Amino acid sequence: GENVEQHPSTLSVQEGDSAVIKCTYSDSASNYFPWYKQELGKRPQLIIDIRSNVGEKKDQRIAVTLNKTAKHFSLHITETQPEDSAVYFCAASNGNQFYFGTGTSLTVIP
Amino acid sequence: SAVISQKPSRDICQRGTSLTIQCQVDSQVTMMFWYRQQPGQSLTLIATANQGSEATYESGFVIDKFPISRPNLTFSTLTVSNMSPEDSSIYLCSGAVGTGGNEQFFGPGTRLTVL
């Protein structure tokens, strides 16, 4: 089955700096890679996703890059704000199941 | 998008009993899933709920312990059977829309404590 690894497990940045979270996957059949943000006590919320036919996608301060050959994808958050503080999960899907990374706890220091 | 509700939102149960969690989606979804999330941990897929047939379970999860039903496209239940304290966790259902079961949306979760 799929194995998704995520790094780092914790990340602290100063407000206004950038944050980068990286994930690798093992199953070459995976073709959809979403990122979720989960605030304490809340449900995971989809923030951005990318499909295997695209190398990069951007939505305002959030961007995701995908390297299919190396089987890794990354989340980039620019101009971080305190409200970006949360746990972020990457996931990989082959269209049938979703497999999640272990999560990154991001703290943005005002 | 899809709006997903779950009930109960939380429960405290005695060892050896069973609890059924309900998940309702406001629109038809391609696929429905059940996850378990320990506090501070990632989401672990329990099974894919298949409409009108047996669920597809992930390694480490079995139907006798986690029976799942999905009688239609918008409703599913997960039962946690013969509970032990190790079953204490948050259980989340999700629905996926779009081609190939993408764009997954989550319910609010059910926080289960087993004494």
Side-chain angles (χ1 to χ4, degrees):
Chain A
E2 176 67 279
N3 180 42
V4 180
E5 296 189 356
Q6 183 172 346
H7 299 280
S9 58
T10 60
L11 179 61
S12 292
V13 299
Q14 292 290 329
E15 181 177 0
D17 288 349
S18 297
V20 180
I21 303 171
K22 299 182 179 181
C23 288
T24 61
Y25 63 100
S26 60
D27 188 354
S28 57
S30 292
N31 55 18
Y32 175 64
F33 306 91
W35 285 88
Y36 290 86
K37 176 183 180 182
Q38 187 175 31
E39 297 176 344
L40 189 63
K42 302 286 184 63
R43 74 188 80 188
Q45 299 272 13
L46 178 70
I47 56 171
I48 196 168
D49 56 12
I50 191 167
R51 301 179 192 276
S52 58
N53 59 346
V54 176
E56 183 174 359
K57 182 177 179 181
K58 189 173 181 180
D59 182 4
Q60 299 183 335
R61 297 186 296 109
I62 297 173
V64 57
T65 59
L66 171 65
N67 183 327
K68 283 181 58 180
T69 303
K71 295 193 180 70
H72 66 72
F73 56 113
S74 300
L75 176 71
H76 304 253
I77 305 174
T78 59
E79 301 174 27
T80 53
Q81 302 168 1
E83 51 265 38
D84 294 329
S85 296
V87 178
Y88 292 81
F89 293 99
C90 63
S93 173
N94 58 10
N96 293 314
Q97 295 102 347
F98 289 77
Y99 296 97
F100 283 78
T102 49
T104 297
S105 178
L106 173 64
T107 301
V108 180
I109 303 167
Chain B
S1 65
V3 176
I4 301 178
S5 60
Q6 276 183 245
K7 59 181 180 180
S9 58
R10 60 178 62 222
D11 207 342
I12 300 173
C13 300
Q14 295 296 322
R15 181 195 299 260
T17 63
S18 297
L19 175 72
T20 295
I21 303 168
Q22 297 181 10
C23 178
Q24 180 72 53
V25 188
D26 70 337
S27 59
Q28 293 185 354
V29 293
T30 310
M31 305 178 83
M32 292 182 76
F33 304 94
W34 287 96
Y35 290 86
R36 184 169 70 185
Q37 185 177 32
Q38 305 281 6
Q41 303 294 315
S42 185
L43 293 91
T44 300
L45 180 63
I46 297 172
T48 303
N50 299 311
Q51 184 200 359
S53 64
E54 188 172 296
T56 304
Y57 290 85
E58 296 297 305
S59 176
F61 298 95
V62 295
I63 187 171
D64 290 347
K65 177 66 176 178
F66 298 102
I68 288 170
S69 77
R70 188 182 175 191
N72 56 55
L73 286 173
T74 62
F75 184 78
S76 178
T77 66
L78 166 74
T79 299
V80 186
S81 302
N82 188 25
M83 289 183 286
S84 66
E86 293 71 38
D87 294 320
S88 297
S89 188
I90 297 171
Y91 292 84
L92 298 110
C93 73
S94 72
V97 299
T99 303
N102 299 327
E103 301 185 45
Q104 187 176 198
F105 299 91
F106 284 88
T110 295
R111 182 180 293 273
L112 171 62
T113 302
V114 184
L115 302 178

